[in-house]
Amino acid sequence: MPITIHKGMFFAQFYVLSTNNMSKELTFSVKTPEFEMEYARFGNGPKALVIIPGLSIKSVVRSAAAIRSAYSVFESEYTIYLFDRKLQLGNVYNLAEMADDTVAAMRALGINKATIYGTSQGGMVGQYIAIKYPEVVENLVLASSSSKALPLQLEVIGHWTDLCVEGKAMEFVEDFIDNAFSKSYLERYKPVLLKMYRNVTADELQRFAVLSAACAHVDTYNDLGKIKCPVFVIGAALDHVVGAEASTIMYEKLKAEGVSCQFYMYNDYGHAAFDEAKDYRQRIYDFLQTV
């Protein structure tokens, strides 16, 4: 089994990364005429759960075994698909294109309808999917995400993009960690996190820069009323990446537009509440049992 610091799925994928056969057995590649995308699959339930992670320094599918363990509560009822972004990126790759490509990958795999759970940027992509392709979304879970870029998001993620472009790998990693996790979590794990990412490559920095730049242009707010499925918005009061108000704004707009929605705010966690809060996955599971 891989060793993990926690059992969550942080959008930056802060796992102890290692080559292990268990993760490889869960990892696949889907090809369309336009692109190739890696994904992980586990669980054997009749319903589909598509997880769209946010920005990641290392590919999340490399830790598929750890993620499977974390999401075991879903396995009997769901087949779970964890999608990365496409392998080959251009200089610009916007959120709407990410949504198009994720849906294309789903269809190539025969996934006609799924619950979509997106964390951070993954939640932005999930919104574009639910708006443009309502027929493929059964339910939508938006974790620490946003529908329009507020000043904090522009500043923090924009700074990460700049650091990656400038090749300042460890300065980027440290700033990333400091803004994403809670103070109590960092007191325990920051030295280990820094050690894990001491060898970030130029290609990883370039890929991150292209993906992170897209966050500045998220623009779904005025179209949230087009979402046809139940939505669960989960925020974090201490979010120093997109801000707690980003989740509140989404929820209030969805409610005003008559979209079936629920809301929960974690008061003691930051952006990566979906990793730190022990009840996070159970809370999502419980939501899905009620809709």
Side-chain angles (χ1 to χ4, degrees), residues 162-249:
D162 292 341
L163 290 174
C164 288
V165 170
E166 295 164 9
K168 298 178 179 179
M170 291 315 297
E171 186 177 343
F172 154 61
V173 170
E174 184 161 8
D175 192 82
F176 195 91
I177 293 169
D178 286 345
N179 280 290
F181 287 105
S182 68
K183 183 178 179 180
S184 61
Y185 194 87
L186 291 174
E187 287 174 351
R188 298 175 63 190
Y189 297 123
K190 183 174 179 179
V192 181
L193 296 173
L194 290 173
K195 185 176 181 180
M196 281 194 294
Y197 287 94
R198 64 185 182 275
N199 295 319
V200 178
T201 69
D203 286 345
E204 288 166 345
L205 292 177
Q206 181 182 10
R207 182 177 177 85
F208 190 99
V210 171
L211 294 173
S212 61
C215 292
H217 306 289
V218 59
D219 186 21
T220 58
Y221 179 79
N222 290 326
D223 291 325
L224 290 176
K226 296 178 182 179
I227 294 177
K228 305 302 181 184
C229 66
V231 183
F232 189 18
V233 178
I234 312 176
L238 305 180
D239 191 327
H240 297 310
V241 178
V242 300
E245 62 269 38
S247 294
T248 303
I249 286 169

Coordinates of all heavy atoms in Angstrom, one line a residue, residues 162-249:
D162 N 2.7 32.9 -12.0 CA 3.9 33.7 -12.2 C 5.2 32.9 -11.8 O 6.2 32.9 -12.5 CB 3.8 35.0 -11.5 CG 2.8 35.9 -12.1 OD1 2.4 35.7 -13.3 OD2 2.4 36.9 -11.5
L163 N 5.1 32.3 -10.6 CA 6.2 31.6 -10.0 C 6.6 30.4 -10.9 O 7.8 30.1 -11.1 CB 5.9 31.1 -8.6 CG 5.9 32.2 -7.5 CD1 5.4 31.6 -6.2 CD2 7.2 32.9 -7.4
C164 N 5.6 29.7 -11.5 CA 5.8 28.6 -12.4 C 6.5 29.1 -13.7 O 7.4 28.5 -14.1 CB 4.6 27.9 -12.7 SG 3.9 26.9 -11.3
V165 N 6.0 30.2 -14.2 CA 6.6 30.7 -15.4 C 8.0 31.1 -15.2 O 8.9 30.9 -16.1 CB 5.7 31.9 -15.9 CG1 6.4 32.6 -17.1 CG2 4.3 31.4 -16.4
E166 N 8.3 31.7 -14.0 CA 9.6 32.1 -13.7 C 10.6 31.0 -13.3 O 11.8 31.2 -13.1 CB 9.6 33.2 -12.6 CG 8.9 34.4 -13.0 CD 8.5 35.3 -11.8 OE1 8.9 35.0 -10.7 OE2 7.7 36.3 -12.1
G167 N 10.0 29.8 -13.2 CA 10.8 28.6 -12.8 C 11.2 28.6 -11.4 O 12.2 27.8 -11.0
K168 N 10.5 29.3 -10.5 CA 10.9 29.3 -9.1 C 10.1 28.2 -8.3 O 9.1 28.4 -7.6 CB 10.5 30.7 -8.5 CG 11.3 31.8 -9.1 CD 10.9 33.2 -8.6 CE 11.7 34.3 -9.2 NZ 11.3 35.6 -8.7
A169 N 10.6 27.0 -8.5 CA 9.9 25.8 -8.1 C 9.6 25.7 -6.6 O 8.4 25.6 -6.2 CB 10.6 24.5 -8.6
M170 N 10.6 25.8 -5.8 CA 10.4 25.7 -4.4 C 9.6 26.8 -3.8 O 8.9 26.7 -2.8 CB 11.7 25.4 -3.6 CG 12.3 24.0 -4.0 SD 11.0 22.7 -4.0 CE 10.5 22.7 -2.3
E171 N 9.8 28.0 -4.3 CA 9.1 29.2 -3.8 C 7.6 29.0 -4.1 O 6.7 29.3 -3.3 CB 9.6 30.5 -4.5 CG 8.9 31.7 -3.9 CD 9.5 33.0 -4.5 OE1 10.6 32.9 -5.1 OE2 8.8 34.0 -4.4
F172 N 7.3 28.4 -5.3 CA 6.0 28.1 -5.7 C 5.4 27.1 -4.8 O 4.3 27.2 -4.2 CB 5.9 27.6 -7.1 CG 4.8 26.7 -7.5 CD1 3.5 27.2 -7.4 CD2 5.0 25.4 -7.9 CE1 2.4 26.3 -7.7 CE2 4.0 24.6 -8.2 CZ 2.7 25.0 -8.1
V173 N 6.1 26.0 -4.5 CA 5.6 24.9 -3.7 C 5.3 25.4 -2.3 O 4.2 25.1 -1.7 CB 6.5 23.7 -3.7 CG1 6.1 22.7 -2.6 CG2 6.6 23.0 -5.1
E174 N 6.1 26.2 -1.7 CA 5.9 26.6 -0.4 C 4.7 27.6 -0.3 O 3.9 27.5 0.6 CB 7.2 27.4 0.1 CG 7.0 27.8 1.6 CD 8.4 28.1 2.3 OE1 9.4 28.1 1.6 OE2 8.3 28.3 3.5
D175 N 4.6 28.5 -1.3 CA 3.4 29.4 -1.3 C 2.1 28.6 -1.5 O 1.1 28.9 -0.8 CB 3.6 30.4 -2.4 CG 2.6 31.5 -2.3 OD1 2.9 32.5 -1.5 OD2 1.6 31.5 -2.9
F176 N 2.2 27.6 -2.3 CA 1.1 26.7 -2.6 C 0.6 26.1 -1.3 O -0.6 26.1 -1.0 CB 1.5 25.7 -3.6 CG 0.4 25.0 -4.3 CD1 -0.2 25.4 -5.4 CD2 -0.1 23.8 -3.8 CE1 -1.2 24.7 -6.1 CE2 -1.1 23.1 -4.4 CZ -1.6 23.6 -5.6
I177 N 1.5 25.4 -0.6 CA 1.2 24.7 0.6 C 0.6 25.7 1.7 O -0.4 25.4 2.3 CB 2.5 24.0 1.2 CG1 2.9 22.9 0.2 CG2 2.2 23.5 2.6 CD1 4.2 22.3 0.5
D178 N 1.3 26.8 1.9 CA 0.9 27.8 2.9 C -0.5 28.3 2.7 O -1.2 28.5 3.7 CB 1.9 29.0 2.9 CG 3.2 28.6 3.5 OD1 3.3 27.6 4.2 OD2 4.2 29.4 3.3
N179 N -0.9 28.5 1.5 CA -2.2 29.0 1.2 C -3.3 28.0 1.2 O -4.5 28.3 1.4 CB -2.3 29.8 -0.1 CG -1.7 31.1 0.0 OD1 -2.3 32.0 0.6 ND2 -0.5 31.3 -0.6
A180 N -3.0 26.7 1.0 CA -4.0 25.7 0.8 C -4.4 25.0 2.1 O -5.6 24.7 2.3 CB -3.5 24.7 -0.2
F181 N -3.5 24.8 3.0 CA -3.8 24.0 4.2 C -4.0 24.9 5.4 O -3.5 26.0 5.4 CB -2.6 23.0 4.4 CG -2.6 21.9 3.5 CD1 -1.6 21.8 2.5 CD2 -3.5 20.8 3.6 CE1 -1.5 20.7 1.6 CE2 -3.4 19.8 2.7 CZ -2.5 19.7 1.7
S182 N -4.6 24.3 6.4 CA -4.8 25.0 7.6 C -3.5 25.1 8.4 O -2.6 24.3 8.2 CB -5.9 24.3 8.5 OG -5.4 23.0 8.9
K183 N -3.5 26.1 9.3 CA -2.3 26.3 10.1 C -2.0 25.0 11.0 O -0.8 24.6 11.1 CB -2.5 27.5 11.1 CG -1.3 27.8 11.9 CD -1.6 29.0 12.8 CE -0.4 29.3 13.7 NZ -0.6 30.5 14.5
S184 N -3.0 24.4 11.5 CA -2.7 23.2 12.4 C -2.2 22.1 11.5 O -1.3 21.3 12.0 CB -4.0 22.8 13.1 OG -5.0 22.4 12.1
Y185 N -2.6 21.9 10.3 CA -2.1 20.9 9.4 C -0.7 21.1 9.0 O 0.1 20.2 9.0 CB -3.0 20.8 8.2 CG -2.8 19.5 7.3 CD1 -3.5 18.4 7.6 CD2 -1.9 19.5 6.3 CE1 -3.3 17.2 6.9 CE2 -1.7 18.4 5.5 CZ -2.4 17.3 5.8 OH -2.2 16.1 5.1
L186 N -0.4 22.4 8.7 CA 1.0 22.7 8.4 C 2.0 22.5 9.5 O 3.1 22.2 9.3 CB 1.0 24.2 7.9 CG 0.3 24.5 6.5 CD1 0.3 26.0 6.2 CD2 1.0 23.7 5.4
E187 N 1.5 22.8 10.7 CA 2.4 22.6 11.9 C 2.9 21.1 11.9 O 4.0 20.8 12.4 CB 1.7 23.0 13.1 CG 1.5 24.5 13.3 CD 0.7 24.9 14.5 OE1 0.1 23.9 15.1 OE2 0.6 26.1 14.8
R188 N 2.0 20.2 11.5 CA 2.4 18.8 11.5 C 3.1 18.3 10.3 O 4.0 17.5 10.4 CB 1.1 18.0 11.7 CG 0.3 18.2 13.0 CD -1.0 17.5 13.0 NE -0.8 16.0 13.1 CZ -1.7 15.1 12.9 NH1 -3.0 15.5 12.7 NH2 -1.4 13.8 12.9
Y189 N 2.7 18.8 9.1 CA 3.2 18.2 7.9 C 4.0 19.0 6.9 O 4.5 18.5 5.9 CB 1.9 17.6 7.2 CG 1.2 16.6 7.9 CD1 -0.1 16.7 8.2 CD2 1.8 15.4 8.4 CE1 -0.8 15.7 8.9 CE2 1.2 14.4 9.1 CZ -0.2 14.6 9.3 OH -0.9 13.6 10.0
K190 N 4.1 20.3 7.2 CA 4.8 21.1 6.2 C 6.2 20.6 5.8 O 6.5 20.6 4.6 CB 4.8 22.6 6.6 CG 5.4 23.5 5.6 CD 5.4 25.0 5.9 CE 6.0 25.8 4.9 NZ 5.9 27.3 5.2
P191 N 7.1 20.3 6.7 CA 8.4 19.8 6.3 C 8.3 18.6 5.4 O 9.1 18.5 4.4 CB 9.0 19.4 7.7 CG 8.4 20.3 8.7 CD 6.9 20.3 8.2
V192 N 7.4 17.7 5.6 CA 7.3 16.5 4.8 C 6.8 16.9 3.4 O 7.2 16.4 2.4 CB 6.3 15.5 5.4 CG1 6.2 14.2 4.5 CG2 6.8 15.1 6.8
L193 N 5.8 17.8 3.3 CA 5.3 18.3 2.1 C 6.4 18.9 1.2 O 6.5 18.7 0.0 CB 4.1 19.2 2.3 CG 2.9 18.7 3.0 CD1 1.9 19.8 3.3 CD2 2.2 17.6 2.2
L194 N 7.2 19.8 1.9 CA 8.2 20.4 1.1 C 9.3 19.4 0.6 O 9.8 19.6 -0.5 CB 8.9 21.5 2.1 CG 8.1 22.7 2.4 CD1 8.9 23.5 3.4 CD2 7.9 23.5 1.2
K195 N 9.5 18.4 1.4 CA 10.5 17.4 1.0 C 10.0 16.6 -0.2 O 10.8 16.3 -1.1 CB 10.8 16.5 2.2 CG 11.9 15.5 1.9 CD 12.2 14.6 3.1 CE 13.3 13.6 2.8 NZ 13.6 12.8 4.0
M196 N 8.7 16.3 -0.2 CA 8.1 15.6 -1.3 C 8.3 16.3 -2.6 O 8.4 15.6 -3.7 CB 6.7 15.3 -1.0 CG 6.4 14.2 -0.1 SD 4.7 13.7 -0.2 CE 3.9 15.2 0.4
Y197 N 8.2 17.6 -2.6 CA 8.2 18.4 -3.9 C 9.5 19.1 -4.1 O 9.5 20.1 -4.8 CB 7.0 19.3 -3.9 CG 5.8 18.5 -4.1 CD1 5.0 18.0 -3.0 CD2 5.4 18.1 -5.4 CE1 3.9 17.2 -3.2 CE2 4.3 17.2 -5.6 CZ 3.5 16.8 -4.5 OH 2.5 16.0 -4.7
R198 N 10.6 18.6 -3.6 CA 11.9 19.2 -3.9 C 12.4 19.0 -5.3 O 13.3 19.7 -5.7 CB 12.9 18.7 -2.9 CG 13.3 17.2 -3.0 CD 14.2 16.8 -1.9 NE 14.6 15.4 -2.0 CZ 13.9 14.4 -1.6 NH1 12.7 14.6 -1.0 NH2 14.3 13.1 -1.7
N199 N 11.8 18.1 -6.0 CA 12.2 17.8 -7.4 C 11.2 18.1 -8.4 O 11.0 17.3 -9.4 CB 12.7 16.3 -7.5 CG 13.9 16.0 -6.6 OD1 14.8 16.8 -6.5 ND2 13.9 14.9 -5.9
V200 N 10.5 19.1 -8.3 CA 9.5 19.5 -9.3 C 10.2 19.8 -10.6 O 11.2 20.6 -10.6 CB 8.6 20.7 -8.9 CG1 7.7 21.1 -9.9 CG2 7.9 20.4 -7.6
T201 N 9.7 19.3 -11.7 CA 10.4 19.4 -13.0 C 9.9 20.7 -13.8 O 8.8 21.2 -13.5 CB 10.2 18.2 -13.9 OG1 8.8 18.2 -14.3 CG2 10.5 16.9 -13.2
A202 N 10.7 21.1 -14.8 CA 10.3 22.2 -15.6 C 9.0 21.9 -16.3 O 8.2 22.8 -16.5 CB 11.4 22.5 -16.6
D203 N 8.8 20.7 -16.8 CA 7.6 20.3 -17.5 C 6.4 20.4 -16.6 O 5.3 20.9 -17.0 CB 7.7 18.9 -18.1 CG 8.6 18.8 -19.3 OD1 8.9 19.9 -19.9 OD2 9.0 17.7 -19.6
E204 N 6.6 20.0 -15.3 CA 5.5 20.1 -14.3 C 5.1 21.6 -14.1 O 3.9 21.9 -13.9 CB 5.8 19.4 -13.1 CG 5.8 17.9 -13.2 CD 6.5 17.1 -12.1 OE1 7.3 17.8 -11.3 OE2 6.3 15.9 -12.0
L205 N 6.1 22.4 -14.0 CA 5.8 23.8 -13.8 C 5.1 24.4 -15.0 O 4.2 25.2 -14.8 CB 7.2 24.6 -13.5 CG 7.9 24.3 -12.2 CD1 9.2 25.1 -12.2 CD2 7.0 24.7 -11.0
Q206 N 5.5 24.1 -16.2 CA 4.9 24.6 -17.4 C 3.4 24.1 -17.4 O 2.6 24.9 -17.8 CB 5.7 24.1 -18.6 CG 5.1 24.7 -19.9 CD 5.8 24.2 -21.1 OE1 6.7 23.3 -21.0 NE2 5.5 24.7 -22.3
R207 N 3.2 22.9 -17.2 CA 1.8 22.4 -17.2 C 1.0 23.1 -16.2 O -0.2 23.5 -16.5 CB 1.8 20.9 -17.0 CG 0.5 20.2 -17.0 CD 0.6 18.7 -16.9 NE -0.7 18.1 -16.9 CZ -1.4 17.7 -18.0 NH1 -0.9 17.9 -19.1 NH2 -2.6 17.1 -17.9
F208 N 1.5 23.2 -15.0 CA 0.7 23.9 -13.9 C 0.4 25.3 -14.3 O -0.7 25.8 -14.1 CB 1.5 23.9 -12.6 CG 0.7 24.4 -11.4 CD1 0.1 23.4 -10.6 CD2 0.5 25.7 -11.2 CE1 -0.6 23.9 -9.5 CE2 -0.3 26.1 -10.1 CZ -0.8 25.2 -9.3
A209 N 1.4 26.0 -14.9 CA 1.1 27.4 -15.3 C 0.0 27.5 -16.3 O -0.8 28.4 -16.2 CB 2.4 28.0 -15.9
V210 N 0.0 26.6 -17.3 CA -1.1 26.7 -18.3 C -2.5 26.4 -17.7 O -3.4 27.2 -17.9 CB -0.9 25.6 -19.4 CG1 -2.1 25.5 -20.3 CG2 0.4 26.0 -20.2
L211 N -2.5 25.4 -16.8 CA -3.8 25.1 -16.1 C -4.2 26.2 -15.1 O -5.4 26.6 -15.1 CB -3.7 23.8 -15.4 CG -3.5 22.6 -16.4 CD1 -3.3 21.3 -15.6 CD2 -4.7 22.4 -17.3
S212 N -3.3 26.7 -14.3 CA -3.7 27.7 -13.3 C -4.1 29.0 -13.9 O -5.0 29.7 -13.4 CB -2.5 27.9 -12.4 OG -1.4 28.4 -13.0
A213 N -3.5 29.3 -15.1 CA -3.9 30.6 -15.7 C -5.4 30.6 -16.1 O -6.0 31.7 -16.2 CB -3.0 30.8 -17.0
A214 N -6.0 29.4 -16.4 CA -7.4 29.4 -16.8 C -8.3 29.8 -15.6 O -9.4 30.3 -15.9 CB -7.7 27.9 -17.2
C215 N -7.9 29.7 -14.4 CA -8.8 30.0 -13.3 C -9.2 31.5 -13.2 O -10.2 31.8 -12.7 CB -8.1 29.6 -12.0 SG -7.9 27.8 -11.7
A216 N -8.3 32.3 -13.8 CA -8.6 33.7 -13.8 C -9.9 34.1 -14.6 O -10.5 35.1 -14.4 CB -7.4 34.5 -14.2
H217 N -10.2 33.2 -15.5 CA -11.3 33.4 -16.5 C -12.6 32.6 -16.2 O -13.4 32.6 -17.1 CB -10.8 33.2 -17.9 CG -9.5 33.9 -18.2 ND1 -9.5 35.3 -18.4 CD2 -8.2 33.5 -18.3 CE1 -8.2 35.7 -18.6 NE2 -7.4 34.6 -18.5
V218 N -12.7 32.1 -15.0 CA -13.9 31.3 -14.7 C -15.1 32.3 -14.8 O -15.1 33.4 -14.2 CB -13.8 30.6 -13.3 CG1 -13.6 31.6 -12.2 CG2 -15.1 29.8 -13.1
D219 N -16.2 31.9 -15.5 CA -17.3 32.9 -15.8 C -18.6 32.1 -15.9 O -19.1 32.1 -17.0 CB -16.9 33.7 -17.0 CG -18.0 34.8 -17.3 OD1 -18.7 35.2 -16.3 OD2 -18.1 35.2 -18.4
T220 N -19.0 31.5 -14.9 CA -20.3 30.7 -14.9 C -21.4 31.4 -14.1 O -22.5 30.9 -14.2 CB -20.0 29.3 -14.3 OG1 -19.5 29.4 -13.0 CG2 -19.0 28.5 -15.2
Y221 N -21.1 32.4 -13.4 CA -22.1 32.9 -12.5 C -23.4 33.2 -13.1 O -24.5 32.8 -12.6 CB -21.5 34.2 -11.8 CG -22.5 34.9 -10.8 CD1 -22.6 34.4 -9.5 CD2 -23.2 36.0 -11.2 CE1 -23.5 35.0 -8.6 CE2 -24.1 36.6 -10.3 CZ -24.2 36.1 -9.0 OH -25.1 36.7 -8.2
N222 N -23.4 33.9 -14.2 CA -24.7 34.3 -14.8 C -25.4 33.1 -15.5 O -26.6 33.3 -15.9 CB -24.5 35.4 -15.9 CG -24.1 36.7 -15.2 OD1 -24.6 37.0 -14.1 ND2 -23.2 37.5 -15.8
D223 N -24.8 32.0 -15.6 CA -25.4 30.8 -16.2 C -25.7 29.7 -15.2 O -26.2 28.6 -15.6 CB -24.4 30.2 -17.3 CG -24.3 31.1 -18.5 OD1 -25.3 31.8 -18.9 OD2 -23.2 31.2 -19.1
L224 N -25.5 30.0 -14.0 CA -25.8 28.9 -13.0 C -27.2 28.5 -13.0 O -27.5 27.3 -12.6 CB -25.4 29.4 -11.6 CG -23.9 29.6 -11.3 CD1 -23.6 30.1 -9.9 CD2 -23.2 28.2 -11.5
G225 N -28.2 29.3 -13.4 CA -29.6 29.0 -13.5 C -29.9 27.9 -14.5 O -30.9 27.3 -14.6
K226 N -28.9 27.7 -15.4 CA -29.1 26.7 -16.5 C -28.8 25.2 -16.0 O -29.1 24.3 -16.7 CB -28.2 27.0 -17.7 CG -28.5 28.3 -18.4 CD -27.5 28.5 -19.5 CE -27.8 29.9 -20.2 NZ -26.8 30.1 -21.3
I227 N -28.3 25.1 -14.8 CA -28.0 23.8 -14.2 C -29.3 23.1 -13.8 O -30.1 23.7 -13.1 CB -27.0 23.9 -13.0 CG1 -25.7 24.5 -13.4 CG2 -26.9 22.6 -12.2 CD1 -24.7 24.7 -12.3
K228 N -29.5 21.9 -14.2 CA -30.7 21.2 -14.1 C -30.7 20.1 -13.0 O -31.8 19.6 -12.7 CB -31.1 20.5 -15.4 CG -31.2 21.5 -16.6 CD -32.2 22.6 -16.3 CE -32.3 23.6 -17.6 NZ -33.1 24.7 -17.3
C229 N -29.6 19.9 -12.4 CA -29.5 18.8 -11.4 C -29.3 19.4 -10.0 O -29.0 20.5 -9.8 CB -28.3 17.9 -11.7 SG -26.7 18.8 -11.6
P230 N -29.5 18.5 -9.0 CA -29.2 19.0 -7.6 C -27.7 19.3 -7.4 O -26.9 18.6 -8.0 CB -29.6 17.8 -6.7 CG -30.6 17.0 -7.6 CD -30.1 17.2 -9.0
V231 N -27.5 20.3 -6.6 CA -26.1 20.8 -6.4 C -25.8 20.9 -4.9 O -26.6 21.3 -4.2 CB -25.8 22.2 -7.1 CG1 -24.4 22.6 -6.9 CG2 -26.3 22.2 -8.5
F232 N -24.6 20.4 -4.5 CA -24.1 20.5 -3.2 C -22.9 21.4 -3.2 O -21.9 21.0 -3.8 CB -23.8 19.2 -2.6 CG -23.5 19.1 -1.1 CD1 -23.9 20.2 -0.3 CD2 -22.9 18.0 -0.6 CE1 -23.6 20.1 1.1 CE2 -22.6 18.0 0.8 CZ -23.0 19.1 1.6
V233 N -23.0 22.6 -2.6 CA -21.9 23.5 -2.5 C -21.2 23.4 -1.1 O -21.9 23.5 -0.1 CB -22.3 25.0 -2.8 CG1 -21.1 25.9 -2.7 CG2 -23.0 25.1 -4.2
I234 N -19.9 23.1 -1.1 CA -19.2 23.0 0.2 C -18.1 24.0 0.2 O -17.2 24.0 -0.7 CB -18.7 21.6 0.4 CG1 -19.7 20.5 0.1 CG2 -18.2 21.5 1.8 CD1 -19.2 19.1 0.2
G235 N -18.1 24.9 1.2 CA -17.1 25.9 1.3 C -16.2 25.7 2.6 O -16.5 24.8 3.4
A236 N -15.3 26.6 2.7 CA -14.4 26.6 3.9 C -14.2 28.0 4.3 O -13.7 28.9 3.6 CB -13.1 25.9 3.6
A237 N -14.5 28.3 5.6 CA -14.4 29.7 6.1 C -13.0 30.3 6.1 O -12.8 31.5 6.0 CB -14.9 29.7 7.5
L238 N -12.0 29.4 6.1 CA -10.6 29.9 6.2 C -9.9 29.6 4.8 O -8.7 29.6 4.8 CB -9.8 29.1 7.3 CG -10.4 29.2 8.7 CD1 -9.6 28.5 9.7 CD2 -10.6 30.7 9.1
D239 N -10.7 29.6 3.8 CA -10.1 29.4 2.4 C -9.3 30.6 2.0 O -9.9 31.7 1.8 CB -11.3 29.2 1.4 CG -10.8 28.7 0.1 OD1 -9.7 29.1 -0.4 OD2 -11.6 27.9 -0.6
H240 N -8.0 30.4 1.8 CA -7.1 31.5 1.4 C -6.7 31.4 -0.1 O -5.8 32.1 -0.5 CB -5.8 31.5 2.2 CG -6.1 31.7 3.7 ND1 -6.8 32.8 4.2 CD2 -5.7 31.0 4.8 CE1 -6.9 32.7 5.5 NE2 -6.2 31.7 5.9
V241 N -7.5 30.6 -0.8 CA -7.2 30.5 -2.3 C -8.3 31.1 -3.1 O -8.1 32.1 -3.9 CB -7.0 29.0 -2.7 CG1 -6.8 28.9 -4.2 CG2 -5.8 28.4 -1.9
V242 N -9.5 30.7 -3.0 CA -10.7 31.3 -3.7 C -11.5 32.1 -2.8 O -12.3 32.9 -3.2 CB -11.5 30.2 -4.4 CG1 -10.7 29.5 -5.4 CG2 -12.2 29.3 -3.5
G243 N -11.4 31.9 -1.5 CA -12.1 32.7 -0.5 C -13.5 32.0 -0.1 O -14.1 31.4 -1.0
A244 N -13.8 32.1 1.1 CA -15.1 31.5 1.6 C -16.3 32.1 0.8 O -17.3 31.4 0.6 CB -15.2 31.7 3.1
E245 N -16.2 33.4 0.5 CA -17.4 34.0 -0.1 C -17.7 33.4 -1.5 O -18.8 33.5 -2.0 CB -17.2 35.5 -0.2 CG -16.0 36.0 -1.1 CD -14.7 36.2 -0.3 OE1 -14.5 35.3 0.6 OE2 -14.0 37.1 -0.6
A246 N -16.7 32.8 -2.2 CA -16.9 32.2 -3.5 C -17.9 31.2 -3.4 O -18.8 31.1 -4.3 CB -15.6 31.7 -4.0
S247 N -17.9 30.3 -2.4 CA -18.9 29.3 -2.2 C -20.3 29.8 -1.9 O -21.3 29.4 -2.4 CB -18.4 28.3 -1.1 OG -17.3 27.6 -1.5
T248 N -20.3 30.8 -1.0 CA -21.5 31.5 -0.6 C -22.2 32.1 -1.8 O -23.4 32.0 -2.0 CB -21.3 32.5 0.5 OG1 -20.6 31.9 1.6 CG2 -22.6 33.1 0.9
I249 N -21.4 32.8 -2.6 CA -21.9 33.5 -3.8 C -22.6 32.4 -4.8 O -23.7 32.7 -5.3 CB -20.8 34.2 -4.6 CG1 -20.5 35.5 -3.8 CG2 -21.2 34.6 -6.0 CD1 -19.2 36.2 -4.2

